[in-house]
Amino acid sequence: MKINIGIIGCGYVGLVTAACFAERGYKVLGVDSDAGKIKTLLSGHLPIYEPGLAELVKRNQSRKRLVFSTDIGQAVRFADVIFIAVGTPLGDNGGADLSQVKRVAREVAKNLSSRYKIIAEKSTVPVGTAEQLKTTIRKYAPARAEFDVISNPEFLQEGRAIKTTLYPDRIVVGLETKRAEGVMRKLYASFKAPILITDLESAELIKHAANSFLAMKISYINAIAQICEKSGADVRKVAYGIGLDKRIGREFLRAGIGYGGFCLPKDVSAFVHIAEKLGCKFDLLKAVQSINRDQRQHFIRKIEKACGSVKHKKIAVLGLSFKPDTDDIRESPAFDIIRGLIRKGAIVAAYDPKAINNMKKILPAGKVHYVGNSYQAASGADCLAIITEWDEFKNLDLKRIKRIMKTPLVVDGRNMFDPQMMEKQGFNYLGIGFK
Ligand code: NAD
């Protein structure tokens, strides 16, 4: 059997997933309700920035393996496996807002037929959602409809999304029938990654538990960083020293201004909410959130202390995306930091290689002076604040930066530079977690 794929939601996850399945030789139909996004894709452009994605999409469009539409019905009729990859943003109560997922489930249901289909949750959802989707789909589908609902959480990393989709550490599939297992094993056979088959609930929980654990590692090292600053220790050495223990591991132990992005903040919050709903206390995660919030304020305090006051001072902000190699600014620390600085009277000039247009939508030009490169930002600045560790910033002409700044102060939220080298160049250089 040839497996055709439908992807509902062509955002950061859906579009990458669609392109990667097409690259593996499948025929894929990607659907999005945002007609503008589909128009952009049909005209050969991308609505988001992700390294390598434009080439992958283009190649598979021209091979006719990847097509796009706004019509969910078309995808349901075409596909054997229908992935739901729409947003699950933070709801008002701190839990996940499942309205997009539920709407899609109803639409999918109405278009089902007696031809067997798998409906796969790819969006990150609270444990128990697949069970709810089964009920919803059964309610709206014709009586003869044959389907399985499965959970196939996504672990891709923006900025490295293609690699982490084509070569993931693991593929998790929660399901209930041998029939669905056969299809999913076949679908992923060429991905050369371990496939973990579980029940629906465990697969759903793995995603929230994994993201919360990663957030915990970041907050842990950031709490240590604050202790290092007060005690004279160096968090980079401490992180290296603890990370060499294989039980701990070296990944995700970089002190900085904390985590952001569409996933970790909302997923930690949703997991706290899920635990509470189930009657389980998870205060550990509340501490993770509180440390993360404070880390942004800590960065602002550091700038303020170094500048005396930031009132009427020009602060050059380098980096707006929540991490390098993406234009995604959702929950980026840059937002809180820039807003905090402006509230204190600072004049902010900001530059990012890819994320300026997205940031302008939530922090309009006028409040922030967006500029075309790092040097324009640094010119006449009292402080250079590094928010995102883009490679481009690693290669800055530091002599030129020093020459054009009013005061050679660099406050580095990502510990990108060697402090001794920076001091040698004549900068007053402050990082996170060392003196
Ligand atoms: P996104 O906002 O970039 O994309 C969601 C897309 O769904 C949008 O293009 C939107 O227009 C579309 N959509 C919404 N309602 C629709 C509907 N009724 N019909 C068709 N399309 C619809 O979000 P994302 O970053 O791709 O995340 C999607 C899901 O994947 C979320 O649950 C997220 O938590 C999870 N996830 C994200 C990442 C990541 O790095 N971004 C990684 C792993 C998991």
Side-chain angles (χ1 to χ4, degrees):
M1 167 203 170
K2 232 170 62 257
I3 304 172
N4 288 338
I5 296 172
I7 311 257
I8 318 297
C10 290
Y12 288 88
V13 164
L15 187 55
V16 172
T17 308
C20 287
F21 274 126
E23 185 67 11
R24 284 284 182 257
Y26 294 105
K27 286 200 164 155
V28 182
L29 175 56
V31 171
D32 204 289
S33 54
D34 181 339
K37 233 173 219 187
I38 295 300
K39 200 171 161 205
T40 303
L41 285 162
L42 291 176
S43 68
H45 298 95
L46 283 201
I48 57 167
Y49 172 72
E50 174 64 38
L53 187 59
E55 296 79 351
L56 206 64
V57 168
K58 208 169 169 189
R59 184 158 68 236
N60 286 288
Q61 275 179 314
S62 65
R63 286 170 177 163
K64 309 252 180 294
R65 294 209 291 238
L66 180 56
V67 291
F68 296 101
S69 161
T70 50
D71 181 1
I72 288 192
Q74 193 187 344
V76 177
R77 289 187 292 279
F78 165 78
D80 302 291
V81 182
I82 301 140
F83 287 96
I84 301 179
V86 295
T88 48
L90 198 59
D92 294 336
N93 58 4
D97 172 356
L98 293 179
S99 54
Q100 294 178 33
V101 172
K102 288 181 180 165
R103 192 173 315 130
V104 169
R106 287 195 296 272
E107 282 299 305
V108 169
K110 287 179 200 158
N111 287 283
L112 286 173
S113 64
S114 56
R115 197 178 123 207
Y116 173 72
K117 311 267 171 180
I118 290 176
I119 300 141
E121 289 173 346
K122 202 152 243 328
S123 302
T124 303
V125 291
V127 58
T129 303
E131 208 50 57
Q132 290 176 25
L133 291 187
K134 268 164 52 186
T135 310
T136 305
I137 294 171
R138 189 52 71 204
K139 184 173 160 195
Y140 288 91
R144 64 199 157 90
E146 268 211 70
F147 66 92
D148 267 307
V149 171
I150 68 155
S151 164
N152 179 208
E154 182 54 57
F155 298 96
L156 69 76
Q157 299 162 28
E158 285 176 28
R160 309 171 57 219
I162 293 171
K163 188 158 179 255
T164 47
T165 301
L166 289 175
Y167 307 97
D169 289 344
R170 78 300 206 191
I171 293 161
V172 174
V173 188
L175 43 73
E176 293 181 307
T177 67
K178 282 280 162 214
R179 190 175 189 184
E181 181 175 345
V183 176
M184 294 310 287
R185 281 196 185 279
K186 189 170 170 202
L187 183 68
Y188 279 117
S190 59
F191 279 65
K192 297 194 176 53
I195 299 183
L196 174 64
I197 301 288
T198 72
D199 54 276
L200 292 170
E201 289 77 13
S202 301
E204 290 172 328
L205 207 70
I206 285 169
K207 177 64 192 176
H208 271 125
N211 270 6
S212 298
F213 193 86
L214 293 172
M216 182 182 74
K217 277 190 104 173
I218 296 174
S219 280
Y220 185 82
I221 201 64
N222 281 334
I224 301 280
Q226 295 215 18
I227 297 171
C228 287
E229 287 180 8
K230 295 234 158 78
S231 63
D234 183 333
V235 76
R236 293 159 308 166
K237 293 177 188 162
V238 175
Y240 186 63
I242 61 178
L244 285 176
D245 185 328
K246 291 195 183 70
R247 294 169 301 174
I248 296 172
R250 291 186 56 199
E251 299 281 328
F252 262 64
L253 282 182
R254 284 191 59 168
I257 43 178
Y259 58 80
F262 188 47
C263 292
L264 297 194
K266 79 170 171 63
D267 291 351
V268 173
S269 180
F271 206 27
V272 170
H273 190 258
I274 293 162
E276 280 173 357
K277 251 178 99 177
L278 293 168
C280 306
K281 268 178 88 167
F282 212 160
D283 290 348
L284 173 67
L285 289 188
K286 290 186 181 167
V288 166
Q289 292 177 300
S290 145
I291 292 166
N292 198 57
R293 275 193 299 270
D294 185 54
Q295 208 59 14
R296 297 173 184 193
Q297 300 310 317
H298 180 65
F299 187 68
I300 296 174
R301 288 194 293 270
K302 210 180 253 284
I303 294 173
E304 228 183 346
K305 194 168 163 210
C307 287
S309 149
V310 292
K311 199 159 188 184
H312 305 312
K313 299 268 171 69
K314 178 178 175 184
I315 314 290
V317 166
L318 296 194
L320 297 170
S321 55
F322 82 97
K323 66 171 175 177
D325 296 319
T326 178
D327 62 349
D328 195 350
I329 47 100
R330 292 177 290 184
E331 294 295 324
S332 172
F335 179 71
D336 282 346
I337 291 167
I338 293 176
R339 226 175 33 165
L341 289 168
I342 291 173
R343 267 204 205 117
K344 288 173 187 290
I347 299 149
V348 173
Y351 168 68
D352 186 284
K354 296 285 177 193
I356 288 180
N357 284 341
N358 282 340
M359 191 55 98
K360 273 183 185 168
K361 291 176 198 155
I362 54 167
L363 270 177
K367 282 192 181 224
V368 180
H369 305 277
Y370 294 101
V371 294
N373 61 52
S374 302
Y375 303 101
Q376 286 173 5
S379 175
D382 298 274
C383 171
L384 188 82
I386 299 175
I387 307 273
T388 320
E389 66 275 40
W390 284 91
D391 271 349
E392 183 180 318
F393 303 152
K394 284 183 196 146
N395 302 320
L396 283 175
D397 177 349
L398 292 170
K399 280 200 176 76
R400 182 173 166 201
I401 292 282
K402 172 152 183 283
R403 205 171 53 240
I404 61 179
M405 285 184 75
K406 189 169 167 201
T407 319
L409 167 66
V410 174
V411 185
D412 182 354
R414 300 295 182 185
N415 291 346
M416 283 183 77
F417 293 107
D418 172 27
Q420 280 176 350
M421 180 276 289
M422 291 298 278
E423 297 289 337
K424 229 178 175 172
Q425 296 258 7
F427 288 100
N428 176 13
Y429 177 76
L430 303 171
I432 305 285
F434 54 87
K435 281 201 169 157

